[in-house]
Amino acid sequence: MQQLTSLSSQRGASATSIALLLIVIVVAGKLLIAIVPAQIGDYQLTKTLSAQLEEANNSNESAKNFVERVNRQLSINADYDTSAEEVFTFTNKKAGQLAIHKKYEKTKNFFGNVDIVSRFEGDIKQGDAKSSAKK
């Protein structure tokens, strides 16, 4: 009878590898919970800005009216912590040719003092409003 004492003959997972796997799963899940909502929020905000930009340009609204329109829409969407002035700046303020540059960031707590900062930036022009929003 031969006794198997080498590590290569071990079958199954050790307690250490199971603990490490659980840690990896928890960290990955926490990352997903922190990042995915910010990405979805940015997609929805970009769609809203694109639609509002198209409507404003079609009705030859001024930049001031566009900002009021966006703030009103954000309020309707229950996005009370976001204002138009914090999210974008104008790259073209001519009525009927409005174009904006979206630039903002969202901060989400990860663990303890560690935060995840998601930065979103992109140009939105009249042509972009008809197609999908770009990041």
Side-chain angles (χ1 to χ4, degrees):
M1 288 190 203
Q2 181 182 13
Q3 284 187 339
L4 299 175
T5 58
S6 72
L7 292 176
S8 64
S9 66
Q10 179 182 349
R11 299 204 185 267
S14 67
T16 305
S17 65
I18 291 173
L20 288 174
L21 179 64
L22 284 174
I23 290 171
V24 168
I25 290 171
V26 167
V27 169
K30 186 82 169 151
L31 272 171
L32 281 174
I33 290 171
I35 294 172
V36 170
Q39 296 292 329
I40 292 171
D42 178 61
Y43 173 75
Q44 292 172 337
L45 178 65
T46 303
K47 274 182 48 175
T48 299
L49 290 175
S50 295
Q52 295 301 321
L53 184 65
E54 184 175 9
E55 286 183 36
N57 282 335
N58 288 340
S59 50
N60 286 332
E61 290 184 7
S62 68
K64 181 181 176 184
N65 289 344
F66 174 70
V67 170
E68 291 171 1
R69 172 192 286 270
V70 169
N71 281 329
R72 189 170 43 249
Q73 185 63 44
L74 290 173
S75 176
I76 290 170
N77 292 352
D79 194 356
Y80 302 116
D81 61 340
T82 304
S83 69
E85 294 85 358
E86 298 170 347
V87 174
F88 66 84
T89 57
F90 285 96
T91 56
N92 188 351
K93 285 189 170 188
K94 293 180 184 175
Q97 299 176 2
L98 296 175
I100 58 176
H101 179 76
K102 173 188 70 166
K103 183 176 183 179
Y104 70 100
E105 58 187 42
K106 292 279 185 179
T107 304
K108 181 85 173 183
N109 184 274
F110 186 55
F111 282 117
N113 289 343
V114 179
D115 291 337
I116 295 178
V117 179
S118 300
R119 291 190 175 98
F120 301 99
E121 187 172 353
D123 290 324
I124 301 175
K125 301 173 189 155
Q126 173 66 26
D128 296 338
K130 293 179 183 172
S131 64
S132 180
K134 66 179 182 179
K135 184 176 166 191

